[in-house]
Amino acid sequence: MSDNKIHIAVCDDDYAFRDTLVLRLNNYAQSCSSDISVSAFSNGLELMISEIKYDLIFLDYKMGIMNGLETAKKLRKKGLKCPIVFVTSFNEIVYDVFEVNAFRFLTKPVEQEALEKTMDDFIDQYKKRRVVSFTSNGRAVSLGSADIVYIEGKGRGCVVHTDDEAYPVLQSISMFSEGLPENFFRCHRSFTVNLEAVDGVENASVRLRNGGSVKLERGKNIALRSALEELSSEE
């Protein structure tokens, strides 16, 4: 399974603000017992050449070498899909950042409550949608957890099903399921489903978004419905 460390980048040419934000993020990590690694950059070019795959980026909008919006566009063109939080003193750019699908917009000086709310929301999203990595047929595979529809137990191994692919894995369904985000539910000894991929629940089966269905173990109907309701209330 994948490394569960959360990688965060802070990119800002104001070193005092940047160092303070890094410190506050590290303090947040300690307070919520999250395994977070924070990297600091003074401009967009430094961030662009980093080989680390970041899970969250705090990006200053107005920087000398390359402004935040330009940096974000280049990162998106490279295929980076992680949430981006723009941090700036200029309120008028709030409309520009929607062009790069910004996760949040914070104004300087960043209030502690706003920062904590941003991090809490990100952590909730990360737990549900983080990347899941595994080996299938000798090949390394990385999937967004949202792309997984269900996992099927097969003998001593399991099969990871997406909408159009099936990946055999030499790992038991129990062991594989332990590393999945919180929105996965073990509905049967042979099946774990992504709650976001569930289209309906019947007495003995779970209908899935790809048109298929899997067995529902006796006694788990109520627990599954409760989990679905909780997921729906959070969205």
Side-chain angles (χ1 to χ4, degrees):
M1 299 297 293
S2 59
D3 174 17
N4 289 330
K5 182 184 289 292
I6 299 172
H7 295 279
I8 298 177
V10 176
C11 186
D12 197 305
D13 59 1
D14 181 341
Y15 75 91
F17 175 84
R18 182 180 68 241
D19 292 348
T20 298
L21 182 55
V22 169
L23 177 62
R24 292 168 70 183
L25 290 170
N26 284 327
N27 289 339
Y28 174 90
Q30 293 180 2
S31 69
C32 67
S33 300
S34 294
D35 190 6
I36 293 176
S37 173
V38 185
S39 302
F41 301 92
S42 61
N43 60 68
L45 291 177
E46 290 182 356
L47 176 59
M48 288 287 297
I49 63 176
S50 174
E51 296 182 355
I52 297 175
K53 186 174 182 180
Y54 291 101
D55 301 296
L56 176 66
I57 295 175
F58 286 84
L59 189 58
D60 182 28
Y61 182 77
K62 188 177 182 181
M63 294 184 289
I65 297 179
M66 184 191 302
N67 71 38
L69 185 59
E70 185 181 356
T71 301
K73 288 179 179 179
K74 290 182 180 296
L75 290 171
R76 292 297 191 224
K77 285 184 179 179
K78 286 179 62 178
L80 189 70
K81 298 180 180 179
C82 79
I84 295 176
V85 177
F86 280 94
V87 185
T88 183
S89 304
F90 302 92
N91 292 326
E92 62 269 18
I93 67 96
V94 66
Y95 299 105
D96 296 335
V97 300
F98 289 112
E99 186 177 348
V100 290
N101 193 25
F103 176 68
R104 201 61 51 90
F105 172 78
L106 299 175
T107 55
K108 296 179 180 179
V110 176
E111 296 182 359
Q112 184 64 23
E113 183 178 354
L115 179 61
E116 291 181 358
K117 179 65 165 59
T118 296
M119 287 302 300
D120 288 345
D121 291 346
F122 162 72
I123 293 294
D124 286 344
Q125 182 188 89
Y126 174 83
K127 287 179 178 179
K128 294 177 182 177
R129 300 181 180 277
R130 70 168 185 261
V131 172
V132 178
S133 299
F134 53 90
T135 300
S136 177
N137 291 331
R139 179 170 61 96
V141 178
S142 292
L143 298 173
S145 60
D147 295 327
I148 299 175
V149 178
Y150 70 100
I151 299 92
E152 177 185 9
K154 284 281 190 180
R156 295 183 179 181
C158 65
V159 180
V160 179
H161 294 266
T162 64
D163 287 313
D164 47 21
E165 295 285 345
Y167 300 90
V169 180
L170 295 177
Q171 191 175 33
S172 70
I173 187 173
S174 296
M175 186 174 296
F176 192 94
S177 297
E178 284 178 1
L180 292 172
E182 295 176 354
N183 60 307
F184 282 79
F185 183 88
R186 187 77 179 271
C187 65
H188 187 275
R189 65 181 180 275
S190 297
F191 297 103
T192 294
V193 297
N194 181 350
L195 294 174
E196 294 182 344
V198 174
D199 275 347
V201 182
E202 298 173 355
N203 289 333
S205 65
V206 181
R207 296 195 312 276
L208 301 169
R209 71 178 183 217
N210 62 356
S213 65
V214 299
K215 294 180 180 178
L216 178 62
E217 199 167 289
R218 185 187 298 250
K220 289 199 173 183
N221 193 304
I222 294 177
L224 175 57
R225 291 180 184 276
S226 176
L228 289 168
E229 289 177 2
E230 182 176 351
L231 179 67
S232 177
S233 67
E234 292 175 354
E235 295 178 345

